[in-house]
Amino acid sequence: MIGVNMNKAKEIWRNKIRAERTAELNKLDVEYMRALEAEDSIKQAEIVVKKQALRDAPSDERIDNANSPEELKTLDIVKEIVS
């Protein structure tokens, strides 16, 4: 039986998250600038939290705890953060 190298699969998944979050971080940069211009400190704070969560996404412990590629595929961390 052919096995899956889970360490490699986890690293591939982290790289996928890194690629996905780039577009979202760019959108949040625009939103932040608009909130800054509007002097909306509440919106600014919300955006800062989301941006930090996106930066931390590749380190999500659920990736380390996954035991199969199928488990990794259920993790849509970027979508969870921006929704």
Side-chain angles (χ1 to χ4, degrees), residues 26-36 43 47:
N26 290 337
K27 289 177 190 174
L28 288 172
D29 284 343
V30 171
E31 286 183 36
Y32 186 84
M33 291 305 293
R34 289 182 180 148
L36 189 62
K43 184 69 172 176
I47 293 168

Side-chain angles (χ1 to χ4, degrees), residues 2-83:
I2 299 174
V4 174
N5 182 335
M6 281 305 293
N7 290 331
K8 184 68 174 171
K10 290 174 184 179
E11 190 57 35
I12 290 169
W13 202 255
R14 285 184 179 95
N15 289 334
K16 177 185 175 297
I17 291 170
R18 288 180 184 108
E20 287 179 4
R21 75 178 177 184
T22 300
E24 296 302 330
L25 284 168
N26 290 337
K27 289 177 190 174
L28 288 172
D29 284 343
V30 171
E31 286 183 36
Y32 186 84
M33 291 305 293
R34 289 182 180 148
L36 189 62
E37 290 171 356
E39 298 179 4
D40 186 345
S41 59
I42 294 171
K43 184 69 172 176
Q44 290 173 29
E46 291 171 0
I47 293 168
V48 167
V49 169
K50 282 185 180 182
K51 287 177 71 172
Q52 187 59 53
L54 286 169
R55 288 185 199 104
D56 294 341
S59 301
D60 191 300
E61 67 183 23
R62 295 176 292 172
I63 297 170
D64 289 329
N65 294 335
N67 294 313
S68 70
E70 290 74 24
E71 284 183 57
L72 288 173
K73 290 177 186 176
T74 65
L75 302 176
D76 198 349
I77 299 168
V78 172
K79 185 177 179 181
E80 291 172 10
I81 294 169
V82 296
S83 296

